[in-house]
Amino acid sequence: MKTNPDKDTELHDKINRETGRIKWSELERHFASGSVVYVSQELDLIEVALRIAHDDKESIARWMQSGQVAKVNDQQAASWLAADATLWASVVSPFVLVQLEKKQLH
């Protein structure tokens, strides 16, 4: 995309509306095809999805180098399946971005 992701409120809002909770078991077929990407809880899932949609290579590379964004590995997948985990998910074709639910501080 050619627009500035910091000013693309329309796409940000669209991604936000389309992000939701889903059981890991429903994402297994996407994992098998290699299209599920883990997003660390330190990052904003919507912001990461927006940067990927805008092909912001610099931000994505920085997050990948730090391990904050990576393809889901077999150990994560097995752990989430065993725990019947629910994750937040956002689709930025061809990827499904997932993030563990953040713990409430109440």
Side-chain angles (χ1 to χ4, degrees):
M1 293 191 145
K2 298 188 187 327
T3 60
N4 181 341
D6 294 323
K7 297 182 180 183
D8 194 349
T9 57
E10 186 176 324
L11 182 57
H12 180 278
D13 293 346
K14 179 182 185 303
I15 292 170
N16 192 39
R17 283 190 310 272
E18 295 175 357
T19 296
R21 297 171 65 208
I22 189 168
K23 290 281 190 184
W24 172 252
S25 57
E26 296 179 51
L27 294 170
E28 283 186 297
R29 66 184 174 94
H30 298 287
F31 169 70
S33 71
S35 62
V36 182
V37 176
Y38 167 76
V39 176
S40 168
Q41 289 179 303
E42 291 89 37
L43 298 176
D44 182 308
L45 180 63
I46 307 304
E47 180 67 20
V48 174
L50 181 65
R51 296 293 173 161
I52 290 173
H54 276 273
D55 199 25
D56 180 350
K57 289 177 177 52
E58 184 178 312
S59 295
I60 297 163
R62 185 175 62 248
W63 293 327
M64 289 180 78
Q65 284 181 327
S66 71
Q68 293 177 298
V69 172
K71 285 204 172 188
V72 172
N73 63 46
D74 292 341
Q75 183 179 359
Q76 286 171 310
S79 172
W80 294 339
L81 183 61
D84 193 29
T86 299
L87 301 110
W88 283 101
S90 182
V91 176
V92 181
S93 189
F95 304 108
V96 179
L97 308 179
V98 296
Q99 185 177 60
L100 292 172
E101 292 187 288
K102 295 181 181 172
K103 302 213 183 323
Q104 297 294 329
L105 299 175
H106 310 226

